[in-house]
Amino acid sequence: MNYKRPKADVVVVGLGWAGSLIAEELTRAGLNVVAIEQGPWHDTHTNYTPTLSADELRYGRRREMLRPPSKETVTYRNNSSQTARPIRDWSYWVQGYNVGGAGTHWAVNSWRFTPADFTMATRVKERYPNEKLADGLIVQDWGVTYDDLEVHYDRFEKIAGISGEAGVINGKKTGKGNPFEGSRTNEYPTPPLVRSRWNDIFHKTTTEMGYHPFPIPAGTIGAPYKNPLGIELAPCTYCGFCGFYGCGNFSKSSPNICVLPALMDRRNMTLLTECTVTKIEKSKDGKTATGVTFIDSNGDTGFQPADIVCVTAFQLDNVRLLLLSELGKPYDHARQEGVVGRGYNFQTMNYAWLYFEDEALNPFISTGALATRIDNFNGDNFDHTGLGFLGGAGIQSLSDQATPLSMTDRLPEGTKKWGSEWKHAFKHSYQNYAKIQGQGTSYSHVDAYLSLDPTYKDEYGLPLIRQTFDYNENDRRMARYIHERVKEICAKTGAKSWKTKAYPDSHNSPYTPYDSGHTIGGAAMGLDPNTSVVNRYQQHWDAHNVFVMGASSYPNNAGYNPTETLAALTLWTAHHIINDYIKNPGSLVR
Ligand SMILES: Cc1cc2nc3c(=O)[nH]c(=O)nc-3n(C[C@H](O)[C@H](O)[C@H](O)COP(=O)(O)OP(=O)(O)OC[C@H]3O[C@@H](n4cnc5c(N)ncnc54)[C@H](O)[C@@H]3O)c2cc1C
Ligand code: SF4
């Protein structure tokens, strides 16, 4: 059966962080919003009851909160001469699939990007006029700056109750926090978490090496807190069942805890769950959207007309929906023309796994984001002259969520994987194991892109999104440089042994266990319609009433987790829809 719903002012596709924030802003401004979410409703009290949500088999291993690959997955290949195959067992490409999106089970590392991350093309011209970039590298400015976003970063941190310690306030270094961060107008709304024993060791080691360690900002609430929407949050208990799990303690920043209690009470807000949007419909002249088509849980096809379409379905789904809707010119790899799918990118990572002797690191006292970090080698915080690459990485002592099953393979090199030797080693290693993570920048490349797969389809018969991706030469050079810095730190910690890995030293593989879902790009924002899909307001160049929000807008990735920046960009876009677009619909770039 086909049916048409009453017209809305705005339809929002997907209700994760981006969808919840845009819906909250626009309903508060009086607009009538309908949000369409493919997953089910999740309620913190019933779905994330503390004792039941700490079920490692269900959530950590079987990943019950993620979108099942049987519903929809992606296909993957390293280069365009290969045939892509569907991913059936997720390692790091893990997507949200419920109201709240991945914001319910994220690990809550909550970062602002640095000012340089938004303007790298300009910066390279000014700072490195004589350096040659690796062939095929795409480096372009975002069209929006850190200063444009500062007020929106601040607003998000207050909504989410982010814990942390400011390094720079109103241009002045505080002597604490991260001295390399962009200037902030305010301190974090809640205090940083208490350092773990491993964080203490890392802090001491890196201080002695002349670096500047600081506690990372996180969406784990540092103290009892009431956010600007009037919602009360509780302090984190360091339970350790955090990334991949829901938080029943009301301590993890999530759309479900921080936004939805206020949003769902509004009469001008309607939510349709278990409905999948399959297409953005266009007007006859193709210059605007008329609404979206979706398939509901009965298998019926609905049409939701709206004046404004907000696409907030996660980076990969945003790009897929644009391609399925034939909105914007798809990237043609052979000709290197077109924009939708261009500039797909990921994140370069380095790791060290360290083993101490007779320590009591108590790794079960943890959160998804309990870390001490140095940013001395991140982004453009150091001089790259003569190094042959752009970018860098934040290096941090991440206190692992030492849940029992996840620890069974955290053993020194050469340990037997079964029997009494394994048991003895596991018992010994549990208290003595620690991890360093180098979370790096990534710049796009002409050979990495997203397109519709010609063979594999989802449950509705629509093509899956195909990823063509491998690390590029810039990633490899940068990762090797960071790898050396990580090894130097390992050698000073007092650990008995360690093993290290720079991921770009091998081909990128979605089957490699890897701690990141930080895919970006494919619908980049920018100042030129020939190299971007959306303008600096995340407004589609070809259809002025379509706004695309999420990490799909990033032309490059920073050495940070992506979510706080996509949240700030969403609030920036909301501000311009409310204050400019509603009064005078049309392109905001006049
Ligand atoms: C285990 C894990 C740990 C992470 N840890 C961190 C971290 O520490 N820090 C950090 O910054 N980031 C982290 N991330 C990434 C972070 O969760 C995402 O960046 C963020 O949630 C993206 O927000 P979003 O609103 O763009 O998309 P999502 O949260 O994915 O929300 C999109 C919503 O759209 C829905 N949807 C998709 N397609 C359709 C459709 N066609 N029709 C209707 N609905 C649709 C989805 O079901 C989903 O609910 C982590 C991710 C995972 C999975
Ligand atoms: S570690 Fe803290 S924020 Fe994370 S699930 Fe446990 S109580 Fe919640």
Side-chain angles (χ1 to χ4, degrees):
M1 191 183 90
N2 289 355
Y3 61 98
K4 183 174 173 181
R5 288 186 38 85
K7 190 171 177 198
D9 295 326
V10 183
V11 61
V12 172
V13 182
L15 207 63
W17 267 124
S20 305
L21 290 169
I22 195 80
E24 196 284 316
E25 291 282 328
L26 299 186
T27 47
R28 193 153 38 82
L31 296 175
N32 191 349
V33 173
V34 173
I36 304 181
E37 164 58 48
Q38 70 176 4
W41 174 258
H42 270 200
D43 188 79
T44 300
H45 293 95
T46 46
N47 290 88
Y48 312 143
T49 313
T51 42
L52 298 180
S53 65
D55 184 333
E56 192 178 2
L57 195 59
R58 282 182 71 184
Y59 302 111
R61 296 283 106 182
R62 297 181 179 154
R63 301 197 172 180
E64 253 185 49
M65 289 184 71
L66 311 183
R67 179 157 73 188
S70 57
K71 290 248 166 231
E72 191 191 317
T73 184
V74 303
T75 67
Y76 188 89
R77 58 184 181 172
N78 280 133
N79 60 60
S80 56
S81 67
Q82 297 175 340
T83 301
R85 297 289 184 217
I87 297 175
R88 300 184 193 278
D89 182 11
W90 299 94
S91 60
Y92 52 77
W93 277 306
V94 276
Q95 283 162 278
Y97 188 66
N98 51 259
V99 173
T104 47
H105 55 73
W106 68 318
V108 289
N109 298 261
S110 200
W111 292 97
R112 298 178 177 204
F113 287 6
T114 66
D117 290 317
F118 298 96
T119 56
M120 203 33 117
T122 304
R123 181 127 173 150
V124 167
K125 273 190 213 133
E126 288 170 3
R127 195 172 181 190
Y128 308 112
N130 302 318
E131 296 291 308
K132 188 178 170 325
L133 299 182
D135 286 343
L137 207 63
I138 300 173
V139 182
Q140 60 193 56
D141 291 352
W142 296 40
V144 68
T145 64
Y146 176 87
D147 289 345
D148 291 328
L149 293 183
E150 203 285 329
V151 62
H152 305 294
Y153 272 129
D154 187 65
R155 170 88 183 157
F156 174 72
E157 286 168 358
K158 287 181 174 142
I159 289 173
I162 302 299
S163 61
E165 194 164 55
V168 185
I169 298 185
N170 295 324
K172 291 206 179 104
K173 292 198 172 145
T174 60
K176 299 181 285 182
N178 178 9
F180 298 100
E181 71 180 356
S183 181
R184 313 163 48 86
T185 44
N186 288 301
E187 184 46 274
Y188 285 93
T190 68
L193 297 186
V194 178
R195 285 204 301 252
S196 68
R197 169 84 181 113
W198 167 225
N199 295 164
D200 269 342
I201 295 171
F202 185 87
H203 191 278
K204 182 169 177 292
T205 306
T206 50
T207 303
E208 285 169 3
M209 292 174 82
Y211 302 142
H212 304 91
F214 61 93
I216 70 161
T220 35
I221 313 304
Y225 178 68
K226 190 181 208 173
N227 83 1
L229 302 176
I231 300 165
E232 297 198 23
L233 310 170
C236 170
T237 59
Y238 305 76
C239 80
F241 293 87
C242 203
F244 291 110
Y245 303 82
C247 176
N249 203 40
F250 290 83
S251 306
K252 186 204 279 205
S253 313
S254 71
N256 312 55
I257 292 174
C258 304
V259 182
L260 297 179
L263 178 62
M264 296 313 297
D265 268 354
R266 295 188 186 147
R267 297 171 78 94
N268 53 345
M269 172 69 194
T270 303
L271 170 62
L272 311 180
T273 56
E274 300 180 52
C275 295
T276 300
V277 173
T278 51
K279 196 172 179 195
I280 303 162
E281 303 293 348
K282 290 187 278 191
S283 59
K284 283 203 181 105
D285 66 5
K287 291 189 176 158
T288 50
T290 55
V292 300
T293 295
F294 61 92
I295 299 174
D296 68 20
S297 54
N298 297 321
D300 294 330
T301 301
F303 175 61
Q304 176 61 60
D307 290 330
I308 297 174
V309 175
C310 290
V311 184
T312 53
F314 182 66
Q315 175 261 338
L316 290 169
D317 295 274
N318 287 355
V319 178
R320 179 168 181 250
L321 204 50
L322 294 179
L323 290 169
L324 290 173
S325 310
E326 299 179 355
L327 207 53
K329 192 172 175 193
Y331 179 62
D332 179 337
H333 174 239
R335 302 162 81 95
Q336 290 184 19
E337 287 172 6
V339 283
V340 186
R342 175 181 180 268
Y344 171 60
N345 208 343
F346 194 58
Q347 189 152 52
T348 51
M349 299 293 261
N350 260 277
Y351 283 102
W353 299 272
L354 303 92
Y355 298 92
F356 289 81
E357 193 64 40
D358 299 328
E359 272 290 352
L361 295 175
N362 290 345
F364 49 88
I365 299 169
S366 188
T367 80
L370 188 59
T372 296
R373 163 187 284 229
I374 56 163
D375 258 357
N376 297 67
F377 301 104
N378 203 354
D380 200 35
N381 295 345
F382 57 108
D383 185 4
H384 287 67
T385 308
L387 294 178
F389 63 84
L390 289 180
I395 300 174
Q396 60 188 25
S397 57
L398 190 61
S399 288
D400 249 346
Q401 296 178 191
T403 50
L405 299 179
S406 72
M407 290 294 280
T408 54
D409 60 355
R410 306 286 160 93
L411 303 171
E413 204 98 287
T415 309
K416 276 218 175 94
K417 294 196 166 137
W418 67 91
S420 55
E421 191 183 317
W422 170 79
K423 281 185 193 159
H424 178 78
F426 180 37
K427 189 174 164 208
H428 182 260
S429 291
Y430 188 83
Q431 281 284 27
N432 287 294
Y433 156 81
K435 182 162 91 179
I436 292 178
Q437 186 188 52
Q439 184 178 34
T441 56
S442 286
Y443 295 91
S444 302
H445 193 274
V446 293
D447 293 338
Y449 57 99
L450 298 172
S451 51
L452 293 177
D453 193 279
T455 308
Y456 295 98
K457 312 243 184 303
D458 69 4
E459 60 173 335
Y460 305 118
L462 298 168
L464 297 180
I465 193 91
R466 177 177 62 181
Q467 304 178 336
T468 305
F469 180 84
D470 208 345
Y471 296 114
N472 60 56
E473 190 49 34
N474 190 78
D475 293 337
R476 293 185 204 284
R477 290 179 196 162
M478 186 279 281
R480 281 178 204 133
Y481 179 85
I482 295 298
H483 195 188
E484 292 309 310
R485 306 290 81 74
V486 169
K487 285 195 278 188
E488 286 163 8
I489 294 170
C490 288
K492 304 267 185 189
T493 55
K496 188 178 166 206
S497 68
W498 57 90
K499 52 186 177 183
T500 59
K501 182 166 172 59
Y503 271 83
D505 273 344
S506 48
H507 289 293
N508 186 262
S509 160
Y511 298 101
T512 310
Y514 179 88
D515 293 353
S516 171
H518 305 159
T519 63
I520 61 128
M525 63 194 299
L527 295 168
D528 179 356
N530 293 312
T531 55
S532 55
V533 173
V534 292
N535 64 26
R536 67 190 296 262
Y537 304 103
Q538 300 188 99
Q539 179 186 37
H540 203 289
W541 283 111
D542 299 346
H544 64 74
N545 65 343
V546 176
F547 293 85
V548 187
M549 286 158 274
S552 49
S553 297
Y554 300 4
N556 53 277
N557 210 350
Y560 301 107
N561 310 61
T563 306
E564 184 163 324
T565 292
L566 73 86
L569 282 168
T570 301
L571 297 175
W572 151 264
T573 295
H575 175 82
H576 289 282
I577 292 176
I578 294 164
N579 293 294
D580 305 326
Y581 185 81
I582 297 296
K583 292 176 193 147
N584 188 8
S587 173
L588 289 168
V589 179
R590 308 215 196 258

